[in-house]
């Protein structure tokens, strides 16, 4: 089959690789759609921290935002999965450590991360093998575009849940990329008053077109009490900015990562009695994201600028994005 392979920093190519066979407790999925995110871009550039800690290494097969149809099952998996449209969890725990047994498999020390850490090749390919225990079935209203947005949606939903807002309270979202806009969508669906910060006026056009009238640059941000702040940016200066802006006694949620380390003064955290929450992975939010997409309360399809082929995604990694206003690029490996 054909698959995208990173062969080194700044080097990506489509290769013919062996098609997967389902191992014990696994299924094989014919991939229908895959999203490319900032983590993939950092793995391509060589900046991703996992490449420096040894958790990831080249050659590497990307793809962790995906959907498709199960076409084969291994030993221990019911035949009823065959023919079902699915997506899956990126975080694959060992299943027997203390964290996994407590239901926190996404922080298992021995976890695989599909298409990110070594061990499980990703879905930027015609087929992918996935542990059946980590599958999520997709209902009919969740089309291919939505299916490939479940993983980032699960991350965003976890951020909104961690913010612990009541309807009518005010949320400030830092960043207008895919995660920031998804956080805004889920928070709006829950009744929050949502404000966003972009780097410049060009970043504000899309959120405004999506009905978010409160979209600002940092310099234009009004002086309002913020009941929660979600940092979905990649700027090293933004984590302390979030802490500075949030109301005392409330919550800051961190999901964005900067390449250089960011610094938060814990004296400010303590003296404001603020709770800071970090979000890693969509695992606990996947089912909720699917439900929100299925019932129409959240529709993130306008975030997708274009759907391209495997060959064309090589150009995207090289910086030649297709035209389109959304921050997300999808791949259809069948094209």
């Amino acid at each position: 089959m054909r698959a995208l392979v990173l062969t080194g920093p700044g080097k990506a190519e489509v290769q013919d690789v062996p098609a997967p066979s389902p191992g014990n407790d696994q299924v094989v999925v014919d991939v229908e759609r895959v999203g490319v995110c900032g983590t993939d871009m950092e793995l391509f550039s060589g900046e991703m921290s996992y490449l420096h800690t040894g958790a990831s290494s080249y050659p590497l097969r990307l793809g962790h935002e995906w959907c498709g149809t199960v076409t084969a099952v291994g030993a221990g998996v019911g035949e009823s999965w065959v023919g079902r449209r699915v997506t899956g969890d990126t975080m694959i725990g060992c299943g027997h450590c203390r964290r996994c047994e407590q239901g926190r498999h996404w922080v298992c020390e021995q976890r695989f991360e599909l298409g990110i850490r070594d061990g499980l090749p990703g879905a930027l390919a015609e087929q992918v093998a996935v542990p059946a225990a980590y599958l999520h079935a997709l209902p009919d209203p969740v089309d291919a575009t939505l299916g490939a947005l479940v993983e980032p949606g699960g991350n965003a939903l976890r951020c909104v849940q961690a913010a612990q807002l009541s309807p009518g309270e005010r949320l400030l979202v830092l960043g207008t990329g895919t995660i920031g806009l998804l956080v805004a969508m889920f928070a709006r669906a829950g009744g929050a008053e949502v404000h966003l910060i972009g780097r410049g006026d060009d970043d504000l056009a899309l959120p405004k077109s999506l009905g978010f009238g409160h979209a600002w640059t940092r310099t234009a941000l009004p002086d309002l009490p913020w009941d929660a702040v979600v940092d979905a940016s990649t700027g090293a200066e933004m984590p302390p900015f979030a802490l500075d802006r949030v109301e005392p006694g409330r919550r800051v949620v961190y999901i964005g990562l900067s390449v250089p380390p960011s610094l938060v003064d814990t004296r400010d955290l303590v003296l404001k009695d603020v709770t800071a929450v970090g979000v890693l992975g969509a695992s606990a939010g996947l089912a909720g994201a699917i439900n929100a997409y299925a019932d129409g309360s959240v529709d993130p399809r306008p975030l997708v600028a274009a759907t391209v082929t495997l060959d064309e995604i090589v150009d995207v990694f090289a910086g030649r994005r297709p035209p389109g206003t959304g921050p997300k690029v999808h791949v259809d490996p069948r094209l």
Side-chain angles (χ1 to χ4, degrees), residues 172-263:
L172 179 61
V173 180
L174 312 183
T176 56
T178 300
I179 296 297
L181 290 171
L182 281 166
V183 168
M185 289 179 172
F186 278 100
R188 179 171 63 184
E193 177 187 316
V194 180
H195 295 244
L196 297 102
I197 287 183
R199 292 169 295 184
D201 290 336
D202 290 346
D203 287 347
L204 307 182
L206 179 58
K208 288 180 178 179
S209 74
L210 296 172
F212 295 104
H214 304 305
W216 318 94
T217 61
R218 280 180 62 179
T219 55
L221 184 69
D223 184 16
L224 295 170
W226 306 107
D227 298 306
V229 180
V230 173
D231 180 12
S233 73
T234 57
E237 73 284 2
M238 298 309 280
F241 178 85
L243 178 56
D244 181 61
R245 292 302 188 273
V246 73
E247 278 287 281
R250 301 307 297 261
R251 289 185 163 226
V252 175
V253 182
Y254 293 112
I255 187 169
L257 294 174
S258 59
V259 173
S262 56
L263 299 177

Side-chain angles (χ1 to χ4, degrees), residues 30-31 55 95 100 113 147 165 189 218 240 245 257-258 263 308 311:
D30 282 3
V31 180
C100 286
E113 294 183 25
L165 290 165
R218 280 180 62 179
R245 292 302 188 273
L257 294 174
S258 59
L263 299 177
V308 301
D311 293 302

